[in-house]
Amino acid sequence: MNIIFIAPPAAGKGTVSALLEERKGYIHLSTGDLLRAEIKKGTEFGNEINDIISKGELVSDEIITKLLKNKLATIKNQKFILDGYPRNLNQAETLNEIFNELAITDYMAIYLSIDEETAMKRALGRLVCSDCGATYNKYFQETKPKKDGICDKCQGPLNQRADDNEETFKVRFNTYLNVTNPLIDYYKEKGKLEIVDTTNGSENSYQLIEQILESENVNN
Ligand code: AMP
C-alpha cells in the first residue's frame, strides 16, 4: 500500500516517514527534501527555489511535478510514501494521471492532523542534520538529540531550517489551509482517506498508521 501524506507544516510527516522507511521498507519521497537538495547545489535554479521557500510560498506546479516524476521513475515495484505532494488540487489531478500511466492503484491518503499551536512549537524546535537529514526536536523529550547540536546517528551538525521561523511558519500554515486542506475532501470522495491525529507524537502516529496498513491488508 503506497501512502500519500496530507499534513499542515510540522505535523510530523517527515519523522513518521523515516520510521516507515526504517521499519517497513518504504521509499520516502519528500518534495521538500528534493527542493532543499537543489538549493544545496547553489545553482541559479536552487537560488530561485530558496527565495520561494524562505517566504513560505509554494514552488510552481511545473517545477515540483518534474522533480517528482524524475524521482518516481527511479523506483521500481517498491512501496513509497509521498511526503509533500500533492500540495493543491491541480497537483492531485496530475498525480492521478501519473498513477494511471504507471498503473498504480494501491494507495491511501493519510491526513496527519495537528492544531496550529502545536505545529508552530514543533517547527520552531525542529533541528535537521546537515549530513544525513535526520530530524530532531529540542522541545520534545521523545525527539531531542542526545548531545546538543549533534546528530545521534552520524554525529553531523544539527541546524534549523531557514523556513522554520514564526513569520514564515504562519504563511506556510495559511497556505496549507487555503490550498492543501481541500485535498482532504478530494481523497474522501474517492474513498481513499484515513485520518491520524499526530498530537501524541511520532511513535504514536506510527502505531496508528501501522493499524491502518494492517486493516487494509486484511480487507484486500
Ligand atoms: P516541506 O519540507 O514539505 O515542509 O516543504 C518545504 C517547502 O517546499 C514548502 O513550504 C514549499 O515552499 C515547498 N514545497 C514542497 N513540496 C511542494 C509541492 N508539492 N508544491 C509546491 N511547493 C512545495
Side-chain angles (χ1 to χ4, degrees):
M1 170 73 59
N2 299 300
I3 297 173
I4 298 169
F5 277 145
I6 301 168
K13 57 190 167 56
T15 312
V16 178
S17 297
L19 293 177
L20 286 160
E21 188 172 41
E22 192 182 300
R23 299 177 190 174
K24 292 212 174 283
Y26 272 90
I27 305 277
H28 175 200
L29 297 176
S30 155
T31 44
D33 283 351
L34 292 177
L35 293 168
R36 283 183 286 275
E38 291 297 324
I39 294 172
K40 230 178 174 178
K41 289 183 196 161
T43 57
E44 201 179 318
F45 176 56
N47 292 340
E48 279 170 33
I49 292 173
N50 193 25
D51 283 347
I52 300 168
I53 293 189
S54 308
K55 284 189 236 154
E57 293 166 6
L58 292 185
V59 170
S60 81
D61 291 348
E62 289 70 27
I63 289 177
I64 198 71
T65 301
K66 196 168 162 217
L67 284 176
L68 178 77
K69 263 187 156 174
N70 289 344
K71 195 74 190 174
L72 266 178
T74 67
I75 59 166
K76 303 234 160 30
N77 296 327
Q78 284 161 290
K79 48 191 183 171
F80 58 83
I81 301 164
L82 288 185
D83 158 2
Y85 191 102
R87 219 58 172 225
N88 59 34
L89 286 169
N90 185 37
Q91 292 181 12
E93 293 292 358
T94 306
L95 186 62
N96 258 348
E97 288 163 22
I98 297 173
F99 279 3
N100 284 340
E101 277 168 33
L102 301 175
I104 295 171
T105 51
D106 189 23
Y107 72 91
M108 183 59 69
I110 301 182
Y111 164 46
L112 300 177
S113 77
I114 183 98
D115 65 88
E116 182 169 356
E117 201 184 323
T118 313
M120 163 103 88
K121 189 174 170 195
R122 283 192 190 162
L124 299 186
R126 172 157 54 192
L127 295 167
V128 185
C129 175
S130 333
D131 291 346
C132 75
T135 307
Y136 300 85
N137 201 299
K138 60 184 175 191
Y139 294 146
F140 297 90
Q141 203 52 41
E142 184 195 7
T143 46
K144 244 185 175 169
K146 291 196 181 84
K147 280 192 211 151
D148 275 358
I150 305 221
C151 178
D152 293 354
K153 294 186 180 143
C154 77
Q155 320 306 314
L158 301 181
N159 291 306
Q160 231 186 343
R161 265 171 51 171
D163 57 348
D164 276 341
N165 58 73
E166 195 169 335
E167 191 187 344
T168 309
F169 175 84
K170 284 185 178 154
V171 179
R172 286 160 65 205
F173 203 90
N174 276 332
T175 306
Y176 166 80
L177 290 179
N178 292 330
V179 305
T180 310
N181 211 36
L183 294 178
I184 295 170
D185 281 343
Y186 178 85
Y187 285 108
K188 199 183 202 172
E189 278 161 26
K190 284 181 177 292
K192 293 277 195 190
L193 185 80
E194 294 283 350
I195 300 174
V196 166
D197 180 352
T198 69
T199 314
N200 293 322
S202 44
E203 188 58 46
N204 180 255
S205 308
Y206 172 82
Q207 281 163 18
L208 296 171
I209 292 169
E210 198 174 38
Q211 284 166 19
I212 292 170
L213 295 174
E214 277 163 15
S215 75
E216 286 295 328
N217 280 341
V218 170
N219 295 329
N220 285 324

